[in-house]
Short mmCIF file of all heavy atoms in Angstrom, two decimals:
data_model
loop_
_atom_site.label_atom_id
_atom_site.label_comp_id
_atom_site.label_asym_id
_atom_site.label_seq_id
_atom_site.Cartn_x
_atom_site.Cartn_y
_atom_site.Cartn_z
N ASN A 1 -8.90 -3.32 -15.84
CA ASN A 1 -8.85 -1.97 -16.41
C ASN A 1 -7.87 -1.06 -15.68
O ASN A 1 -7.39 -0.08 -16.25
CB ASN A 1 -10.25 -1.33 -16.37
CG ASN A 1 -11.26 -2.08 -17.22
OD1 ASN A 1 -10.88 -2.79 -18.14
ND2 ASN A 1 -12.53 -1.94 -16.89
N ILE A 2 -7.60 -1.37 -14.41
CA ILE A 2 -6.69 -0.54 -13.63
C ILE A 2 -5.25 -0.96 -13.93
O ILE A 2 -4.79 -2.03 -13.52
CB ILE A 2 -6.99 -0.64 -12.12
CG1 ILE A 2 -8.38 -0.07 -11.83
CG2 ILE A 2 -5.93 0.12 -11.31
CD1 ILE A 2 -8.81 -0.18 -10.39
N LYS A 3 -4.56 -0.11 -14.66
CA LYS A 3 -3.20 -0.41 -15.10
C LYS A 3 -2.14 0.10 -14.12
O LYS A 3 -1.04 -0.44 -14.06
CB LYS A 3 -2.93 0.21 -16.48
CG LYS A 3 -3.95 -0.21 -17.55
CD LYS A 3 -4.00 -1.72 -17.73
CE LYS A 3 -5.01 -2.13 -18.79
NZ LYS A 3 -5.12 -3.60 -18.92
N TRP A 4 -2.49 1.15 -13.37
CA TRP A 4 -1.53 1.74 -12.44
C TRP A 4 -2.21 2.10 -11.13
O TRP A 4 -3.34 2.57 -11.11
CB TRP A 4 -0.92 3.02 -13.04
CG TRP A 4 -0.22 2.80 -14.34
CD1 TRP A 4 -0.74 2.95 -15.59
CD2 TRP A 4 1.14 2.38 -14.52
NE1 TRP A 4 0.20 2.66 -16.54
CE2 TRP A 4 1.38 2.31 -15.91
CE3 TRP A 4 2.19 2.08 -13.64
CZ2 TRP A 4 2.62 1.94 -16.44
CZ3 TRP A 4 3.41 1.71 -14.17
CH2 TRP A 4 3.62 1.64 -15.55
N LYS A 5 -1.49 1.88 -10.03
CA LYS A 5 -1.95 2.27 -8.70
C LYS A 5 -0.95 3.25 -8.10
O LYS A 5 0.22 2.93 -7.91
CB LYS A 5 -2.09 1.04 -7.79
CG LYS A 5 -3.13 0.05 -8.24
CD LYS A 5 -3.14 -1.19 -7.36
CE LYS A 5 -4.16 -2.22 -7.85
NZ LYS A 5 -4.14 -3.47 -7.01
N ILE A 6 -1.43 4.47 -7.85
CA ILE A 6 -0.59 5.53 -7.28
C ILE A 6 -1.23 6.00 -5.99
O ILE A 6 -2.42 6.34 -5.96
CB ILE A 6 -0.45 6.71 -8.26
CG1 ILE A 6 0.18 6.23 -9.59
CG2 ILE A 6 0.39 7.83 -7.64
CD1 ILE A 6 0.22 7.32 -10.66
N VAL A 7 -0.46 6.02 -4.92
CA VAL A 7 -0.94 6.53 -3.63
C VAL A 7 -0.22 7.84 -3.34
O VAL A 7 1.00 7.96 -3.55
CB VAL A 7 -0.69 5.53 -2.49
CG1 VAL A 7 -1.19 6.10 -1.16
CG2 VAL A 7 -1.38 4.19 -2.78
N VAL A 8 -0.99 8.83 -2.87
CA VAL A 8 -0.44 10.15 -2.55
C VAL A 8 -0.63 10.42 -1.06
O VAL A 8 -1.75 10.34 -0.55
CB VAL A 8 -1.13 11.26 -3.37
CG1 VAL A 8 -0.46 12.61 -3.10
CG2 VAL A 8 -1.13 10.95 -4.85
N GLY A 9 0.46 10.71 -0.37
CA GLY A 9 0.40 11.09 1.04
C GLY A 9 1.48 12.11 1.31
O GLY A 9 2.42 12.27 0.52
N HIS A 10 1.39 12.80 2.44
CA HIS A 10 2.38 13.86 2.70
C HIS A 10 3.72 13.31 3.14
O HIS A 10 4.77 13.74 2.66
CB HIS A 10 1.85 14.83 3.76
CG HIS A 10 2.82 15.93 4.07
ND1 HIS A 10 3.21 16.85 3.13
CD2 HIS A 10 3.49 16.24 5.22
CE1 HIS A 10 4.07 17.70 3.68
NE2 HIS A 10 4.26 17.35 4.94
N HIS A 11 3.72 12.35 4.06
CA HIS A 11 4.97 11.89 4.66
C HIS A 11 5.56 10.72 3.87
O HIS A 11 4.86 9.75 3.59
CB HIS A 11 4.73 11.47 6.11
CG HIS A 11 4.28 12.58 7.00
ND1 HIS A 11 2.94 12.91 7.15
CD2 HIS A 11 4.98 13.46 7.74
CE1 HIS A 11 2.85 13.95 7.97
NE2 HIS A 11 4.07 14.31 8.34
N PRO A 12 6.85 10.79 3.53
CA PRO A 12 7.48 9.72 2.74
C PRO A 12 7.81 8.50 3.58
O PRO A 12 7.87 8.57 4.82
CB PRO A 12 8.76 10.39 2.21
CG PRO A 12 9.09 11.40 3.26
CD PRO A 12 7.78 11.90 3.80
N MET A 13 8.04 7.37 2.89
CA MET A 13 8.52 6.16 3.54
C MET A 13 10.04 6.11 3.60
O MET A 13 10.62 5.49 4.49
CB MET A 13 8.03 4.92 2.79
CG MET A 13 6.56 4.68 2.83
SD MET A 13 6.17 3.09 2.06
CE MET A 13 4.40 3.25 1.92
N TYR A 14 10.65 6.72 2.60
CA TYR A 14 12.11 6.80 2.51
C TYR A 14 12.46 8.21 2.09
O TYR A 14 11.70 8.87 1.37
CB TYR A 14 12.66 5.82 1.47
CG TYR A 14 12.36 4.37 1.74
CD1 TYR A 14 11.27 3.75 1.13
CD2 TYR A 14 13.15 3.62 2.60
CE1 TYR A 14 10.99 2.41 1.35
CE2 TYR A 14 12.89 2.28 2.84
CZ TYR A 14 11.81 1.68 2.22
OH TYR A 14 11.52 0.36 2.45
N THR A 15 13.63 8.68 2.50
CA THR A 15 14.08 10.00 2.08
C THR A 15 15.58 10.13 2.26
O THR A 15 16.15 9.61 3.23
CB THR A 15 13.37 11.12 2.86
OG1 THR A 15 14.00 12.37 2.54
CG2 THR A 15 13.43 10.91 4.37
N GLY A 16 16.19 10.84 1.33
CA GLY A 16 17.59 11.21 1.45
C GLY A 16 17.74 12.61 2.00
O GLY A 16 18.81 13.20 1.91
N GLY A 17 16.68 13.14 2.59
CA GLY A 17 16.74 14.46 3.23
C GLY A 17 17.08 14.33 4.69
O GLY A 17 17.70 13.37 5.14
N SER A 18 16.62 15.29 5.48
CA SER A 18 16.98 15.33 6.91
C SER A 18 16.21 14.34 7.76
O SER A 18 16.55 14.13 8.91
CB SER A 18 16.74 16.74 7.45
OG SER A 18 15.36 17.08 7.37
N ARG A 19 15.18 13.70 7.18
CA ARG A 19 14.31 12.83 7.98
C ARG A 19 14.49 11.35 7.65
O ARG A 19 13.56 10.56 7.80
CB ARG A 19 12.85 13.24 7.78
CG ARG A 19 12.54 14.68 8.18
CD ARG A 19 11.11 15.03 7.88
NE ARG A 19 10.72 16.31 8.39
CZ ARG A 19 10.73 17.45 7.69
NH1 ARG A 19 11.14 17.45 6.43
NH2 ARG A 19 10.35 18.59 8.24
N THR A 20 15.68 10.97 7.21
CA THR A 20 15.93 9.57 6.81
C THR A 20 15.55 8.60 7.92
O THR A 20 14.92 7.57 7.68
CB THR A 20 17.41 9.38 6.44
OG1 THR A 20 17.74 10.29 5.39
CG2 THR A 20 17.67 7.96 5.96
N GLU A 21 15.92 8.93 9.14
CA GLU A 21 15.61 8.08 10.29
C GLU A 21 14.60 8.75 11.21
O GLU A 21 14.54 8.46 12.40
CB GLU A 21 16.90 7.75 11.07
CG GLU A 21 17.93 6.95 10.26
CD GLU A 21 17.39 5.61 9.81
OE1 GLU A 21 16.60 5.00 10.57
OE2 GLU A 21 17.74 5.16 8.70
N GLY A 22 13.81 9.65 10.68
CA GLY A 22 12.83 10.36 11.48
C GLY A 22 11.69 9.47 11.93
O GLY A 22 11.35 8.48 11.27
N TYR A 23 11.09 9.81 13.05
CA TYR A 23 9.97 9.01 13.58
C TYR A 23 8.80 8.99 12.62
O TYR A 23 8.10 7.98 12.50
CB TYR A 23 9.52 9.54 14.95
CG TYR A 23 8.93 10.94 14.92
CD1 TYR A 23 7.57 11.12 14.64
CD2 TYR A 23 9.70 12.06 15.20
CE1 TYR A 23 7.01 12.38 14.60
CE2 TYR A 23 9.15 13.33 15.17
CZ TYR A 23 7.80 13.49 14.88
OH TYR A 23 7.24 14.75 14.84
N ASP A 24 8.59 10.09 11.89
CA ASP A 24 7.47 10.14 10.96
C ASP A 24 7.73 9.25 9.74
O ASP A 24 6.83 8.53 9.29
CB ASP A 24 7.18 11.58 10.53
CG ASP A 24 8.44 12.40 10.23
OD1 ASP A 24 9.55 11.83 10.25
OD2 ASP A 24 8.30 13.62 9.99
N THR A 25 8.96 9.27 9.22
CA THR A 25 9.32 8.41 8.09
C THR A 25 9.16 6.94 8.46
O THR A 25 8.57 6.14 7.71
CB THR A 25 10.77 8.68 7.65
OG1 THR A 25 10.93 10.08 7.39
CG2 THR A 25 11.13 7.88 6.40
N LYS A 26 9.67 6.56 9.63
CA LYS A 26 9.58 5.16 10.07
C LYS A 26 8.13 4.74 10.30
O LYS A 26 7.74 3.62 9.98
CB LYS A 26 10.39 4.97 11.36
CG LYS A 26 11.89 5.07 11.17
CD LYS A 26 12.60 4.90 12.50
CE LYS A 26 14.12 4.97 12.34
NZ LYS A 26 14.80 4.84 13.65
N ALA A 27 7.33 5.65 10.85
CA ALA A 27 5.93 5.32 11.14
C ALA A 27 5.17 5.00 9.86
O ALA A 27 4.42 4.02 9.79
CB ALA A 27 5.26 6.48 11.88
N ILE A 28 5.38 5.81 8.81
CA ILE A 28 4.67 5.58 7.55
C ILE A 28 5.17 4.31 6.89
O ILE A 28 4.37 3.51 6.36
CB ILE A 28 4.85 6.79 6.61
CG1 ILE A 28 4.24 8.06 7.26
CG2 ILE A 28 4.19 6.53 5.27
CD1 ILE A 28 2.80 7.91 7.70
N ARG A 29 6.47 4.08 6.92
CA ARG A 29 7.02 2.88 6.30
C ARG A 29 6.51 1.62 7.00
O ARG A 29 6.08 0.66 6.35
CB ARG A 29 8.55 2.93 6.34
CG ARG A 29 9.21 1.75 5.64
CD ARG A 29 10.68 2.00 5.40
NE ARG A 29 11.47 2.07 6.60
CZ ARG A 29 12.15 3.15 7.00
NH1 ARG A 29 12.09 4.27 6.29
NH2 ARG A 29 12.86 3.14 8.10
N ASN A 30 6.54 1.62 8.32
CA ASN A 30 6.11 0.43 9.07
C ASN A 30 4.62 0.18 8.94
O ASN A 30 4.17 -0.98 8.91
CB ASN A 30 6.48 0.59 10.55
CG ASN A 30 7.98 0.61 10.78
OD1 ASN A 30 8.73 0.10 9.95
ND2 ASN A 30 8.41 1.19 11.88
N THR A 31 3.84 1.25 8.82
CA THR A 31 2.39 1.11 8.77
C THR A 31 1.88 0.73 7.38
O THR A 31 0.98 -0.11 7.25
CB THR A 31 1.71 2.43 9.21
OG1 THR A 31 2.15 2.76 10.53
CG2 THR A 31 0.20 2.30 9.20
N LEU A 32 2.44 1.34 6.35
CA LEU A 32 1.84 1.22 5.02
C LEU A 32 2.59 0.35 4.03
O LEU A 32 1.98 -0.20 3.10
CB LEU A 32 1.68 2.63 4.42
CG LEU A 32 0.73 3.56 5.17
CD1 LEU A 32 0.66 4.91 4.45
CD2 LEU A 32 -0.65 2.97 5.32
N LYS A 33 3.89 0.22 4.17
CA LYS A 33 4.64 -0.50 3.14
C LYS A 33 4.17 -1.95 2.96
O LYS A 33 4.04 -2.43 1.83
CB LYS A 33 6.14 -0.47 3.41
CG LYS A 33 6.95 -1.03 2.23
CD LYS A 33 8.43 -0.87 2.42
CE LYS A 33 9.18 -1.34 1.17
NZ LYS A 33 8.95 -2.77 0.88
N PRO A 34 3.90 -2.72 4.04
CA PRO A 34 3.42 -4.09 3.84
C PRO A 34 2.15 -4.16 3.00
O PRO A 34 2.02 -5.01 2.12
CB PRO A 34 3.18 -4.59 5.27
CG PRO A 34 4.11 -3.77 6.11
CD PRO A 34 4.12 -2.43 5.48
N MET A 35 1.21 -3.24 3.23
CA MET A 35 -0.02 -3.21 2.46
C MET A 35 0.24 -2.84 1.00
O MET A 35 -0.28 -3.45 0.08
CB MET A 35 -1.03 -2.22 3.06
CG MET A 35 -2.37 -2.19 2.34
SD MET A 35 -3.37 -0.72 2.73
CE MET A 35 -3.49 -0.81 4.49
N PHE A 36 1.08 -1.83 0.81
CA PHE A 36 1.36 -1.37 -0.55
C PHE A 36 2.11 -2.43 -1.34
O PHE A 36 1.89 -2.59 -2.54
CB PHE A 36 2.16 -0.07 -0.51
CG PHE A 36 1.38 1.12 -0.01
CD1 PHE A 36 0.05 1.00 0.38
CD2 PHE A 36 1.96 2.37 0.06
CE1 PHE A 36 -0.68 2.09 0.84
CE2 PHE A 36 1.25 3.47 0.52
CZ PHE A 36 -0.07 3.33 0.91
N ASP A 37 3.00 -3.15 -0.69
CA ASP A 37 3.71 -4.25 -1.36
C ASP A 37 2.73 -5.37 -1.72
O ASP A 37 2.79 -5.93 -2.82
CB ASP A 37 4.82 -4.80 -0.47
CG ASP A 37 6.05 -3.90 -0.43
OD1 ASP A 37 6.20 -3.06 -1.33
OD2 ASP A 37 6.86 -4.05 0.50
N LYS A 38 1.85 -5.68 -0.80
CA LYS A 38 0.88 -6.77 -1.01
C LYS A 38 0.02 -6.51 -2.24
O LYS A 38 -0.22 -7.43 -3.04
CB LYS A 38 0.00 -6.92 0.23
CG LYS A 38 -1.06 -8.00 0.10
CD LYS A 38 -1.90 -8.09 1.38
CE LYS A 38 -2.99 -9.15 1.25
NZ LYS A 38 -3.82 -9.23 2.50
N TYR A 39 -0.42 -5.27 -2.40
CA TYR A 39 -1.33 -4.95 -3.50
C TYR A 39 -0.62 -4.28 -4.68
O TYR A 39 -1.27 -3.72 -5.55
CB TYR A 39 -2.48 -4.08 -2.98
CG TYR A 39 -3.32 -4.83 -1.98
CD1 TYR A 39 -3.32 -4.47 -0.64
CD2 TYR A 39 -4.08 -5.93 -2.37
CE1 TYR A 39 -4.09 -5.18 0.29
CE2 TYR A 39 -4.84 -6.64 -1.45
CZ TYR A 39 -4.84 -6.26 -0.12
OH TYR A 39 -5.58 -6.96 0.80
N LYS A 40 0.71 -4.37 -4.67
CA LYS A 40 1.52 -3.93 -5.82
C LYS A 40 1.24 -2.48 -6.24
O LYS A 40 0.93 -2.20 -7.40
CB LYS A 40 1.33 -4.89 -6.99
CG LYS A 40 1.85 -6.30 -6.72
CD LYS A 40 1.67 -7.23 -7.90
CE LYS A 40 2.40 -8.55 -7.74
NZ LYS A 40 2.45 -9.13 -6.39
N VAL A 41 1.35 -1.59 -5.27
CA VAL A 41 1.28 -0.16 -5.58
C VAL A 41 2.49 0.20 -6.44
O VAL A 41 3.62 -0.19 -6.14
CB VAL A 41 1.27 0.69 -4.29
CG1 VAL A 41 1.47 2.16 -4.59
CG2 VAL A 41 -0.05 0.47 -3.54
N ASP A 42 2.26 0.91 -7.52
CA ASP A 42 3.35 1.25 -8.44
C ASP A 42 4.17 2.43 -7.93
O ASP A 42 5.40 2.41 -8.01
CB ASP A 42 2.77 1.57 -9.82
CG ASP A 42 2.07 0.38 -10.44
OD1 ASP A 42 2.76 -0.59 -10.78
OD2 ASP A 42 0.83 0.42 -10.56
N VAL A 43 3.47 3.47 -7.44
CA VAL A 43 4.16 4.69 -7.02
C VAL A 43 3.55 5.20 -5.73
O VAL A 43 2.32 5.26 -5.59
CB VAL A 43 4.05 5.80 -8.10
CG1 VAL A 43 4.67 7.10 -7.61
CG2 VAL A 43 4.71 5.37 -9.40
#
């Protein structure tokens, strides 16, 4: 029944703004992206 999985958080994993290589951006990407990829998060 679940057709879409959307996760909402404040800090992005990627950005074309001033924080592209920011510690916060890298922390979220390293921590969450493997899980989100594994379970096929859409957005």
Side-chain angles (χ1 to χ4, degrees):
N1 297 337
I2 296 177
K3 305 302 180 183
W4 301 94
K5 296 176 182 178
I6 301 174
V7 179
V8 184
H10 180 63
H11 297 88
M13 293 187 192
Y14 300 96
T15 171
S18 63
R19 300 177 173 96
T20 303
E21 297 299 325
Y23 65 85
D24 42 6
T25 306
K26 290 179 179 178
I28 299 306
R29 184 166 67 242
N30 294 337
T31 302
L32 296 180
K33 189 174 185 299
M35 183 196 304
F36 291 0
D37 283 342
K38 178 180 179 181
Y39 296 111
K40 295 181 170 36
V41 169
D42 297 292
V43 176

